[in-house]
């Protein structure tokens, strides 16, 4: 596996991936806007095939973020089902934390569906704490969001 900055050429594959995973997926324009935003961006993780394989590198995970006013917001993160619980999401989170520190952010924020217990566990294991809940934040289906924060320390 290799992690790298998301590029515009990745967007079609990421949009299809997003549609497979989320009931209310981001659009192509949302990803384009994220990459165009001066203080935002994303990362992709690619599965690197065996040397003699005919399969090209495929995106197996991605994450997007933006930073503003001393805070970084993790806007979305997804990992293909066959690669979950193998440290892929942690690698993406670590990349976002590095971006956040570089931008001068003191904290990273995110929202997660209240029914997404696996994601909540991931965030809590990586130093996030629940702040509060947003009623009916998500649609398709309507659901509350839990807002999490991770304070960034020097050398974190």
């Amino acid at each position: 596996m290799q992690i790298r900055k998301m590029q515009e050429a990745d967007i079609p594959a990421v949009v299809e991936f997003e549609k497979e995973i989320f009931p209310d997926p981001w659009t192509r324009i949302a990803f384009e806007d994220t990459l165009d935003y001066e203080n935002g961006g994303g990362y992709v993780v690619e599965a690197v095939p065996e040397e003699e394989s005919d399969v090209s590198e495929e995106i197996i995970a991605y994450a997007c973020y933006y930073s503003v006013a001393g805070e970084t917001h993790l806007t979305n993160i997804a990992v293909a089902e066959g690669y979950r619980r193998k440290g892929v999401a942690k690698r993406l989170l670590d990349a976002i934390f590095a971006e956040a520190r570089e931008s001068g952010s003191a904290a990273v924020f995110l929202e997660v569906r209240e029914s997404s217990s696996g994601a909540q566990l991931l965030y809590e294991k990586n130093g996030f704490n629940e702040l509060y809940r947003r009623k009916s934040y998500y649609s398709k289906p309507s659901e509350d969001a839990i807002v999490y924060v991770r304070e960034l320390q020097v050398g974190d």
Side-chain angles (χ1 to χ4, degrees):
M1 287 183 279
Q2 69 178 17
I3 186 170
R4 63 173 174 76
K5 286 273 198 169
M6 186 183 292
Q7 302 167 6
E8 192 168 330
D10 298 321
I11 292 175
V14 169
V15 168
E16 288 307 309
F17 192 166
E18 178 93 351
K19 287 178 187 175
E20 292 173 15
I21 293 180
F22 296 108
D24 192 15
W26 272 25
T27 64
R28 178 184 180 94
I29 291 170
F31 284 104
E32 289 171 350
D33 288 348
T34 296
L35 294 186
D36 288 343
Y37 183 60
E38 182 180 343
N39 297 315
Y43 286 92
V44 295
V45 177
E46 295 175 316
V48 179
E50 300 293 326
E51 285 187 35
E52 296 184 24
S53 172
D54 291 337
V55 178
S56 61
E57 295 173 350
E58 71 171 310
I59 295 173
I60 58 160
Y62 62 90
C64 294
Y65 67 92
Y66 68 86
S67 298
V68 65
E71 299 176 351
T72 293
H73 191 96
L74 176 62
T75 55
N76 60 0
I77 185 169
V79 177
E81 193 166 332
Y83 292 91
R84 293 179 187 160
R85 294 174 184 79
K86 295 182 179 182
V88 177
K90 176 156 179 34
R91 289 184 65 187
L92 284 167
L93 288 173
D94 288 344
I96 300 298
F97 298 151
E99 282 288 339
R101 283 189 295 279
E102 188 173 308
S103 75
S105 293
V108 177
F109 291 83
L110 61 86
E111 293 91 8
V112 64
R113 285 181 179 270
E114 68 179 346
S115 65
S116 189
S117 57
Q120 292 168 35
L121 182 60
L122 167 72
Y123 300 137
E124 290 167 5
K125 284 175 62 175
N126 283 278
F128 284 88
N129 295 300
E130 182 177 334
L131 278 181
Y132 55 89
R133 293 174 184 247
R134 289 188 174 138
K135 289 287 185 198
S136 302
Y137 180 79
Y138 292 102
S139 59
K140 298 181 184 178
S142 178
E143 189 171 356
D144 293 352
I146 301 172
V147 177
Y148 278 95
V149 64
R150 176 179 168 173
E151 303 290 335
L152 298 175
Q153 309 298 324
V154 175
D156 193 7

